[in-house]
């Protein structure tokens, strides 16, 4: 009951803004948060149906087509995937509609920011229609969701890399001793945290008397990667910095912990969870909140990243052509209105794609990547599939970061910003 109350309260806080905005109107600045509220609402619906809809789905002949008695977990997974599919289609349709939107004079700009009553109706209709689809469609979507979730995690890594480099450059550009000291202090703290946390992981996931070679390999590899980041970043030929290396090290340590904590509860080397049921409740809440927060972060970064998120006409792309030619200033009022075409500040298509991929990712979390062996409906993101997804994400993160450091040396003729 505590898990339900906590999860409902946290997600309700996210959707409260959406309800208020629908009643009073959406401003341009709050539109992104309204979409986040809609996504949070989809998570609440997924979780409720996951817990309570199985008996109803058993009575639907186009869903219960098996001659054998299917386990309750199968119906729970089907319910989550169907809600996720409706959510995915909603944001994918908007992503396609918003292709090519460059300025606020485009009619589709108002579609992105307004019409929330219609949007909620369309979203609800799509969710309901998904429960009339045959099981084969849901099965195909479940397979595609694994790849989409991997792409979502990859986007998270790219945004993190962009954030760390932006943070480092912002402090370096101040060119003051106190900021250099701050860079060093944060870097040292991050590395201390990385190796201290790695030591704790040894205690949690390498219980005495157990042969936990795989867990030891994961933890030691994380420590080696953190050390390698610092060595490569500080090499004289590499234009690197210790701050990004330290932040990426902390993130890799977190991914290692996330992977190890996803091991089955009856696995002997999972010393943190194998005797505790209460931790599974915390995992449920933490997993849902982490998903919401990561999507919110991605959505906000979609409006500020200068790497690949800005539309072609955005000022962030560095275009030297003025938005209003000098001759246009002499035109009449009608012409001046056409000339004042303010470019959009972020890519609407990418923004909606983030939510579409996040819909896939949240479905994988709630269903244990559709291959959970936890044996408990209270567990989320548990199973060997989840373990390897997390560990592989850590290694991909490490590879991408190292590539950002050595790419200028490997490809000296190309310009890297």
């Amino acid at each position: 009951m505590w898990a339900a109350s906590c999860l409902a309260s946290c997600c309700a806080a996210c959707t409260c803004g959406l309800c208020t905005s629908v009643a009073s109107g959406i401003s341009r600045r709050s539109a992104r948060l309204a979409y986040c509220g809609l996504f949070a609402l989809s998570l609440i619906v997924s979780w409720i149906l996951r817990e309570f809809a199985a008996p109803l789905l058993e009575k639907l002949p186009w869903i219960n087509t098996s001659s054998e008695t299917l386990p309750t977990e199968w119906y729970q997974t089907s319910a989550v995937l169907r809600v996720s599919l409706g959510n995915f289609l909603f944001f994918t349709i908007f992503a396609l509609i918003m292709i090519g939107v460059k300025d606020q004079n485009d009619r589709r700009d108002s579609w992105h920011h307004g019409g929330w009553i219609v949007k909620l109706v369309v979203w609800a209709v799509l969710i309901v229609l998904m429960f009339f689809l045959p099981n084969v469609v849901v099965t195909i979507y479940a397979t595609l969701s694994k790849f989409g979730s991997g792409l979502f995690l990859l986007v998270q890594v790219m945004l993190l890399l962009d954030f760390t480099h932006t943070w480092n450059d912002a402090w370096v550009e101040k060119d003051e001793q106190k900021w250099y000291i701050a860079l060093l202090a944060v870097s040292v703290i991050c590395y201390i945290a990385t190796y201290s946390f790695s030591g704790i992981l040894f205690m949690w996931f390498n219980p005495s008397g157990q042969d936990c070679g795989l867990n030891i390999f994961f933890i030691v590899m994380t420590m080696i990667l953190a050390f390698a980041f610092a060595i490569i970043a500080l090499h004289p030929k590499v234009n690197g910095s210790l701050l990004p290396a330290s932040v990426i090290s902390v993130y890799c340590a977190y991914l290692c912990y996330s992977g190890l904590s996803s091991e089955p509860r009856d696995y002997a080397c999972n010393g943190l969870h194998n005797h505790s049921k209460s931790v599974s409740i915390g995992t449920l809440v933490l997993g849902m909140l982490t998903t919401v927060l990561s999507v919110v972060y991605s959505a906000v970064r979609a409006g500020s990243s200068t790497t690949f998120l800005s539309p072609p006409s955005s000022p962030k792309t560095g275009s030297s052509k003025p938005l209003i030619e000098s001759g246009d200033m002499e035109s009449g009022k009608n012409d001046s209105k056409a000339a004042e075409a303010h470019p959009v500040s972020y890519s609407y298509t990418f923004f909606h794609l983030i939510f579409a991929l996040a819909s896939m990712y949240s479905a994988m979390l709630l269903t244990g990547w559709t291959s959970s062996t936890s044996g408990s409906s209270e567990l989320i993101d548990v199973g060997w599939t989840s373990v390897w997804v997390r560990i592989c994400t850590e290694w991909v993160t490490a590879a991408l970061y190292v590539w950002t450091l050595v790419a200028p040396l490997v490809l000296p003729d190309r310009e890297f910003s």
Side-chain angles (χ1 to χ4, degrees):
M1 293 299 295
W2 176 85
S5 300
C6 182
L7 182 60
S9 299
C10 294
C11 289
C14 296
T15 57
C16 182
L18 174 61
C19 298
T20 304
S21 299
V22 170
S24 60
I26 296 287
S27 67
R28 296 189 64 87
R29 293 186 177 181
S30 62
R32 282 181 286 180
L33 293 180
Y35 282 110
C36 294
L38 183 60
F39 178 79
L41 179 61
S42 72
L43 290 183
I44 295 177
V45 173
S46 296
W47 182 75
I48 292 175
L49 294 180
R50 176 178 180 263
E51 296 299 316
F52 305 108
L56 176 61
L57 296 182
E58 291 179 4
K59 299 178 181 179
L60 300 179
W62 61 88
I63 293 181
N64 186 7
T65 58
S66 176
S67 57
E68 302 177 358
T69 302
L70 296 173
T72 301
E73 288 76 11
W74 186 89
Y75 293 102
Q76 292 176 326
T77 298
S78 179
V80 171
L81 288 173
R82 290 172 188 273
V83 174
S84 172
L85 177 56
N87 215 37
F88 171 80
L89 290 177
F90 175 83
F91 286 110
T92 300
I93 290 172
F94 266 91
L96 295 175
I97 292 175
M98 296 300 161
I99 291 177
V101 176
K102 298 180 180 181
D103 58 68
Q104 297 177 13
N105 282 356
D106 194 309
R107 181 188 299 271
R108 293 171 294 173
D109 179 81
S110 61
W111 299 352
H112 175 72
H113 293 96
W116 281 95
I117 297 297
V118 176
K119 289 177 183 176
L120 285 174
V121 172
V122 171
W123 175 81
V125 169
L126 283 174
I127 298 296
V128 172
L129 289 178
M130 295 306 102
F131 285 87
F132 292 92
L133 294 179
N135 292 330
V136 62
V137 176
V138 180
T139 301
I140 294 175
Y141 174 72
T143 302
L144 295 177
S145 292
K146 296 180 180 180
F147 296 96
S149 300
L151 184 57
F152 175 76
L153 292 173
L154 180 60
V155 171
Q156 297 294 305
V157 171
M158 297 178 70
L159 290 174
L160 177 64
L161 291 173
D162 178 52
F163 167 75
T164 56
H165 287 294
T166 302
W167 180 10
N168 181 79
D169 294 342
W171 283 13
V172 170
E173 287 176 358
K174 296 180 183 297
D175 197 21
E176 297 180 13
Q177 185 177 5
K178 63 179 181 180
W179 292 108
Y180 290 118
I181 294 176
L183 280 172
L184 180 61
V186 173
S187 301
V188 171
I189 291 173
C190 286
Y191 265 107
I192 292 176
T194 298
Y195 283 99
S196 298
F197 190 49
S198 297
I200 296 175
L201 294 183
F202 273 111
M203 294 187 295
W204 285 348
F205 300 102
N206 184 32
S208 59
Q210 302 293 337
D211 183 13
C212 303
L214 183 61
N215 286 2
I216 293 176
F217 169 73
F218 289 155
I219 299 172
V220 171
M221 179 61 68
T222 300
M223 300 174 69
I224 292 175
L225 288 174
F227 181 75
F229 294 158
I231 296 298
I232 298 175
L234 297 178
H235 193 277
K237 294 184 178 181
V238 176
N239 185 23
S241 176
L242 195 59
L243 178 63
S246 64
V247 174
I248 297 299
S249 297
V250 171
Y251 183 64
C252 287
Y254 163 74
L255 288 176
C256 182
Y257 159 75
S258 181
L260 293 175
S261 63
S262 295
E263 292 175 338
R265 296 300 185 255
D266 57 354
Y267 182 50
C269 292
N270 189 346
L272 181 63
H273 291 323
N274 57 3
H275 298 299
S276 174
K277 184 178 179 180
S278 60
V279 177
S280 66
I281 299 177
T283 303
L284 171 63
V285 176
L286 181 61
M288 296 285 282
L289 291 181
T290 301
T291 303
V292 174
L293 291 176
S294 64
V295 173
V296 171
Y297 172 78
S298 300
V300 172
R301 290 295 293 173
S304 59
S305 176
T306 59
T307 305
F308 61 97
L309 310 184
S310 300
S313 65
S314 173
K316 297 174 184 178
T317 58
S319 176
S320 59
K321 184 178 180 179
L323 296 178
I324 302 177
E325 299 291 346
S326 58
D328 294 337
M329 301 299 294
E330 301 176 358
S331 302
K333 293 183 179 181
N334 293 334
D335 294 336
S336 64
K337 289 182 179 181
E340 294 175 356
H342 299 288
V344 297
S345 59
Y346 60 95
S347 171
Y348 296 164
T349 294
F350 177 82
F351 177 83
H352 289 288
L353 282 178
I354 284 290
F355 282 101
L357 295 176
S359 300
M360 291 181 161
Y361 179 66
S362 62
M364 293 298 99
L365 286 181
L366 284 169
T367 62
W369 296 82
T370 67
S371 60
S372 175
T373 58
S374 63
S376 172
S377 62
E378 293 183 347
L379 298 176
I380 179 175
D381 197 22
V382 173
W384 287 110
T385 303
S386 298
V387 173
W388 283 106
V389 167
R390 291 288 188 268
I391 297 300
C392 289
T393 301
E394 176 192 352
W395 293 344
V396 170
T397 301
L400 286 176
Y401 174 64
V402 172
W403 174 249
T404 63
L405 296 176
V406 303
L409 300 178
V410 178
L411 302 172
D413 297 333
R414 295 191 60 181
E415 181 180 354
F416 295 89
S417 56

